[in-house]
Amino acid sequence: ILKVAHFFQKAARLFIAAAAGVCDIEEKARRTAEEWDRDRLYHLLDEEHALSGFREWEKPMLSYLKPQAILGVIGCGAGREILALDRLNDTADGVDMAPRTIDAAKINLARARAKGSAYCADIFHFRFPREVYDGFIFSWQTYGAIPSSGRRIAILKGLRRQLADEGCVILADETRLGRGTRLERLASAVGRWTGNAFPPDAGDLFSAQLAFRHLFKREEIENESRTAGYKIEACLQEGRKIIAVLKKAEHYKEHVKPGG
């Protein structure tokens, strides 16, 4: 019976990898938001969690933010970072694409009488409400929850247009080793074979519900940042946790396609 169970487990993983290969980019984003709402709702309205502030390993990023800054938080969840920044006398607007998560954030912000706002949207389709921000923070693992390198680069470019000249973008995510598992390579091969415009890359992981997550190599973050018009101001690493601080690169000229 155990051998049969193991066989079906392996078969299930193969089918998940194949399904990930044909899943389009909007579906990946939608399923990721749904899994967040479904599986992590238990702590969203927990006041202790909302007020827990920045974790110890996250705190070094704060030294790169100017006092009384206007900030944008991508993947703000239930408002943990927004509330922590508010207590530092900063003002933060947050965005997250999980609806119930944002409902919780609005309750938590109102409860704390915090400045700033929380919006429900996919960051790829969202523009922050203020013209200029002193910085943007991608909450822990949020940058890696954005499917495809091209989409991540496009988002960084969009943020650059609203970023103050001396401002910064901060990414907090997780690194990986190696060139990816056999299942990751299978998903990528199926995607290319079926003509998926955004086939999975090495480092792309999928849950049984096809919720998406990407684990980075450090050079991936560097290459995506450079392509989007940034330079790496600092790269802080603790184990597999990584914080990248990006500043606008000088003499960068964004290529604009004719007619858009």
Side-chain angles (χ1 to χ4, degrees):
I1 293 176
L2 284 176
K3 288 183 179 180
V4 173
H6 288 154
F7 170 80
F8 280 109
Q9 281 183 328
K10 289 181 180 179
R13 288 195 290 267
L14 288 173
F15 279 111
I16 290 169
V22 300
C23 188
D24 69 45
I25 199 165
E26 297 293 343
E27 182 73 4
K28 291 175 187 175
R30 183 184 67 79
R31 286 176 176 270
T32 302
E34 286 179 352
E35 183 163 293
W36 168 265
D37 259 6
R38 182 178 59 251
D39 293 350
R40 302 189 184 184
L41 184 65
Y42 66 91
H43 72 232
L44 295 181
L45 290 175
D46 181 73
E47 188 171 8
E48 183 178 352
H49 171 80
L51 294 174
S52 62
F54 288 100
R55 303 176 178 106
E56 282 301 315
W57 69 270
E58 294 174 311
K59 289 180 179 178
M61 74 171 68
L62 299 176
S63 64
Y64 294 92
L65 303 174
K66 77 173 193 177
Q68 299 183 359
I70 305 296
L71 303 166
V73 179
I74 299 100
C76 67
R80 177 176 66 92
E81 293 94 344
I82 297 176
L83 294 173
L85 292 166
D86 185 78
R87 293 194 293 272
L88 295 172
N89 208 25
D90 297 323
T91 299
D93 295 321
V95 61
D96 198 297
M97 66 182 299
R100 290 189 292 181
T101 301
I102 286 297
D103 288 343
K106 290 178 178 178
I107 291 171
N108 291 330
L109 266 61
R111 180 190 289 156
R113 298 182 180 178
K115 303 181 295 296
S117 302
Y119 301 89
C120 184
D122 182 339
I123 183 60
F124 185 70
H125 303 291
F126 179 75
R127 177 181 169 86
F128 277 93
R130 306 171 201 260
E131 285 300 313
V132 179
Y133 285 80
D134 298 309
F136 294 100
I137 297 173
F138 283 84
S139 183
W140 167 238
Q141 293 187 338
T142 297
Y143 190 67
I146 300 169
S148 105
S149 177
R151 198 176 181 95
R152 292 190 292 269
I153 290 168
I155 289 167
L156 288 177
K157 286 181 177 180
L159 297 178
R160 192 182 190 280
R161 299 182 195 113
Q162 291 185 267
L163 182 65
D165 288 341
E166 298 303 317
C168 64
V169 175
I170 299 176
L171 316 175
D173 226 290
E174 192 171 1
T175 59
R176 79 176 196 275
L177 302 173
R179 64 189 187 95
T181 66
R182 285 181 292 178
L183 290 176
E184 291 171 42
R185 296 196 292 273
L186 171 63
S188 181
V190 169
R192 293 194 302 271
W193 179 67
T194 58
N196 190 337
F198 297 95
D201 297 317
D204 287 359
L205 305 178
F206 296 88
S207 71
Q209 291 76 35
L210 297 185
F212 174 86
R213 183 180 169 207
H214 183 77
L215 298 183
F216 290 92
K217 286 190 173 181
R218 178 169 170 164
E219 54 265 33
E220 285 182 87
I221 295 177
E222 293 172 349
N223 290 338
E224 290 180 8
S225 303
R226 191 179 306 113
T227 303
Y230 297 87
K231 60 182 179 180
I232 303 290
E233 179 76 6
C235 207
L236 316 173
Q237 196 156 358
E238 180 181 309
R240 291 179 60 184
K241 300 182 183 74
I242 189 168
I243 294 174
V245 181
L246 318 181
K247 290 280 190 87
K248 285 184 176 181
E250 297 178 4
H251 311 301
Y252 171 78
K253 186 176 181 181
E254 185 176 342
H255 175 70
V256 179
K257 294 180 180 179

